[in-house]
Amino acid sequence: MLKKLFKSFRLSLNRSHPRSTPEVLGGQQHSLRRNDISRHAVNVVERLQNAGYQAYVVGGCVRDLLLDIEPKDFDVATSATPEQVRAEFRNARVIGRRFKLVHVHFGREIIEVATFRAHHPEDDEDDEDSHLSARHESGRILRDNVYGSLEEDAQRRDFTINALYFDVTRERILDYAHGVHDIRNHLIRLIGDPEQRYQEDPVRMLRAVRFAAKLDFDIEKHSAAPISRLAPLLRDIPAPRLFEEVLKLFLSGYAEDTFELLLEHDLFAPLFPASAAALERNPGYVGRLIRQALANTDERIAQGKTVTPAFLFAALLWPALPARVLALQERGMPPIPAMQEAAHLVITEQCRRTAIPKRFTLPAREIWDLQERLPRRQGKRADLLLEHPRFRAGYDFLLLREEAGEQTGGLGDWWTDYQEASDSERRSMIRALAGKDDTGGAPRKRRRSGGRRQRGSGANGD
Ligand code: ATP
Ligand code: MG
């Protein structure tokens, strides 16, 4: 009993930050205007209001607009249930497993509409029915479809800067958690007790880091402090969800900074255990390879070019291969099968953490296979490789390895020249290879002697 009293006292203290009446900022106190909001989002809000529901533009788009960043998308929060929302719009679909949401489609734009939700009631230790609760024993919330009031919706959001509601009709901002203050001070701060909020949903640790990198904010010290200790909780998160989060971490244009923050807060190892171990063993080379891959990704995104998760995963996991290859070779497996088996093992293990779909693991493996083939250029091989559908990715990957310091005997330059050369120049480039060791040009009859097909610098690292 006393324990319970104390617990609720502690919680109410820790939750002193959010409040039940919002600070209301009128048009003179902030820069956000109705015209800044996507007209489709305004349309959704107004139709819901006309139908008698409360509705606000909320979350990342309000935050981003206050910071002069173009929002990725617009989210709406409403008192209408998903079914009620769907009934209002012809072009609406209910989606979501963990959370039920409604997507309202306007051509290519999707407005995401979420019903106000409440925090889950605290698990009652004396409750006979606690097995029915929606919490895991670690405190993690497994289901979260308990609807609530606007105030409750604000309290259950993750960070203060994400809990701002914009009233498009009156151009007011409702601020329940001092989010505007934190935006001004460039701080990522959890609403409520940080430890408890991370335990409810450990992915919030990744979100803290992602927003810190994207917005160039600091993580407020009480929100930052527990992360390293709680980082292992990420191991319990379903692998498909972590895969989605990893894409957001590394494909949003701030991957390089995100990676540094992940390392700083011990969040990289639970996501990529084998890569983290390789980084520890060989920080120079592995650090350069990963950082360079992420820097290239950020640059491509900044230039509006496409990026593929396959290349990213190929790079992040490449450093984990050599140790595996070595272990298999020590057990007597020949180099080529050892390489294949190591690739298979590394990917299978990684998929237990982040469920990478086949459409990305297959091309990632092709990129790796090409690293074995690019040194072997004799005869028609070089021309056949140029025709390979993944040649470009394989070649880019080779350059990445070289930038990280792998010794390849100038293979990247050779391929750069070869692509630009005329037919006759190409023929002489191939002739000039004759007799060189790592070209794979050894006569066929040597094939069975075991001395053929060096692995090149392959996965050897430094
Ligand atoms: P961006 O879309 O730029 O990545 P965002 O803040 O809009 O950022 P979303 O993932 O789209 O992020 O989520 C929308 C809103 O839902 C957030 O602003 C936050 O208020 C709330 N939210 C999302 N994920 C969580 C979570 N794990 N715990 C609590 N609230 C969350
Ligand atoms: Mg969003």
Side-chain angles (χ1 to χ4, degrees):
M1 186 61 184
L2 202 60
K3 195 172 138 203
K4 247 173 128 180
L5 254 179
F6 179 70
K7 191 175 162 196
S8 58
F9 176 64
R10 183 173 61 90
L11 286 175
S12 69
L13 263 188
N14 286 333
R15 287 217 183 123
S16 62
H17 194 67
R19 48 192 174 198
S20 54
T21 46
E23 185 175 345
V24 180
L25 289 92
Q28 302 83 0
Q29 291 161 284
H30 65 82
S31 57
L32 198 52
R33 292 295 163 264
R34 180 190 163 93
N35 282 343
D36 300 329
I37 307 294
S38 135
R39 68 190 167 86
H40 297 130
V42 172
N43 176 315
V44 169
V45 167
E46 290 184 337
R47 275 166 68 181
L48 288 168
Q49 287 176 340
N50 290 340
Y53 304 108
Q54 287 174 278
Y56 296 89
V57 168
V58 68
C61 57
V62 179
R63 173 199 73 211
D64 289 352
L65 284 168
L66 288 173
L67 289 163
D68 257 334
I69 299 172
E70 193 186 329
K72 233 175 44 203
D73 45 36
F74 288 84
D75 298 321
V76 168
T78 180
S79 58
T81 65
E83 286 69 28
Q84 288 168 330
V85 175
R86 194 181 43 190
E88 291 299 320
F89 299 92
R90 255 188 318 108
N91 45 345
R93 284 206 317 144
V94 178
I95 59 139
R97 286 168 301 209
R98 263 168 58 86
F99 304 146
K100 260 198 200 171
L101 299 166
V102 184
H103 276 177
V104 186
H105 293 254
F106 297 89
R108 282 167 62 197
E109 191 180 10
I110 296 176
I111 305 298
E112 195 165 283
V113 185
T115 304
F116 296 151
R117 283 195 297 267
H119 252 311
H120 269 269
E122 294 301 319
D123 274 1
D124 192 331
E125 284 146 87
D126 305 330
D127 189 349
E128 294 281 290
D129 290 334
S130 61
H131 64 283
L132 294 176
S133 100
R135 268 169 202 262
H136 189 258
E137 57 201 358
S138 65
R140 181 157 61 91
I141 293 178
L142 300 177
R143 276 172 279 121
D144 197 1
N145 276 320
V146 176
Y147 301 131
S149 65
L150 171 57
E151 292 74 19
E152 287 169 318
D153 191 70
Q155 318 292 314
R156 67 93 199 163
R157 287 183 183 265
D158 47 6
F159 304 105
T160 61
I161 60 170
N162 286 347
L164 297 170
Y165 296 75
F166 183 58
D167 171 356
V168 297
T169 319
R170 294 201 260 175
E171 291 189 334
R172 301 181 313 174
I173 291 175
L174 308 190
D175 181 357
Y176 287 89
H178 306 283
V180 172
H181 170 274
D182 286 339
I183 284 189
R184 292 196 176 122
N185 291 286
H186 290 194
L187 285 177
I188 309 287
R189 187 198 308 267
L190 272 172
I191 296 172
D193 175 47
E195 176 145 357
Q196 187 195 340
R197 298 306 310 280
Y198 291 137
Q199 271 164 354
E200 283 172 2
D201 183 5
V203 169
R204 289 172 185 150
M205 296 187 275
L206 299 178
R207 291 174 58 86
V209 158
R210 175 156 70 84
F211 294 129
K214 168 177 163 163
L215 307 173
D216 196 17
F217 277 24
D218 288 327
I219 305 176
E220 179 276 330
K221 72 173 195 292
H222 297 97
S223 296
I227 298 183
S228 292
R229 186 166 39 86
L230 300 180
L233 293 178
L234 286 172
R235 294 207 201 111
D236 300 329
I237 300 298
R241 184 164 179 225
L242 280 190
F243 171 73
E244 295 297 328
E245 284 302 321
V246 164
L247 292 191
K248 290 186 195 168
L249 287 168
F250 291 137
L251 296 180
S252 300
Y254 307 92
E256 232 190 323
D257 291 345
T258 303
F259 177 65
E260 302 308 336
L261 287 172
L262 288 173
L263 289 180
E264 184 185 328
H265 295 283
D266 297 324
L267 291 165
F268 185 64
L271 294 177
F272 291 91
S275 313
L279 183 63
E280 201 151 291
R281 279 194 301 271
N282 194 352
Y285 159 73
V286 176
R288 281 193 301 277
L289 185 95
I290 292 180
R291 288 183 176 92
Q292 191 63 51
L294 299 176
N296 296 351
T297 307
D298 288 345
E299 198 183 313
R300 288 185 67 91
I301 291 172
Q303 295 169 345
K305 294 184 184 164
T306 57
V307 286
T308 159
F311 191 91
L312 185 74
F313 281 98
L316 286 165
L317 297 174
W318 176 257
L321 289 171
R324 276 303 161 79
V325 174
L326 213 65
L328 292 166
Q329 282 187 288
E330 273 165 9
R331 283 200 261 141
M333 201 182 272
I336 299 285
M339 183 68 200
Q340 291 296 325
E341 180 64 11
H344 171 74
L345 289 173
V346 164
I347 287 189
T348 311
E349 277 167 24
Q350 182 59 37
C351 285
R352 279 189 219 125
R353 290 296 161 89
T354 59
I356 314 166
K358 278 234 162 48
R359 67 179 186 282
F360 302 130
T361 58
L362 293 179
R365 285 204 58 175
E366 285 182 303
I367 290 171
W368 288 350
D369 289 343
L370 278 169
Q371 306 313 300
E372 299 296 307
R373 294 175 58 188
L374 286 168
R376 295 183 281 122
R377 293 155 285 175
Q378 288 254 316
K380 292 202 170 7
R381 285 178 184 152
D383 288 328
L384 285 173
L385 279 172
L386 276 185
E387 301 296 312
H388 192 288
R390 301 270 173 236
F391 171 80
R392 182 72 210 189
Y395 162 74
D396 284 343
F397 200 85
L398 170 65
L399 298 186
L400 175 69
R401 290 166 46 209
E402 290 182 346
E403 278 178 281
E406 276 189 54
Q407 299 303 316
T408 67
L411 192 58
D413 281 343
W414 190 93
W415 276 108
T416 306
D417 294 341
Y418 194 75
Q419 290 174 76
E420 287 159 11
S422 67
D423 279 351
S424 67
E425 285 167 336
R426 283 183 180 180
R427 277 195 297 278
S428 58
M429 284 177 79
I430 300 292
R431 273 198 302 278
L433 291 172
K436 283 199 187 161
D437 246 348
D438 63 346
T439 58
R444 273 175 190 281
K445 59 184 180 247
R446 271 189 61 200
R447 281 205 159 183
R448 253 170 252 106
S449 73
R452 67 168 181 88
R453 287 215 262 182
Q454 294 215 353
R455 285 190 304 119
S457 55
N460 282 332
D462 258 345

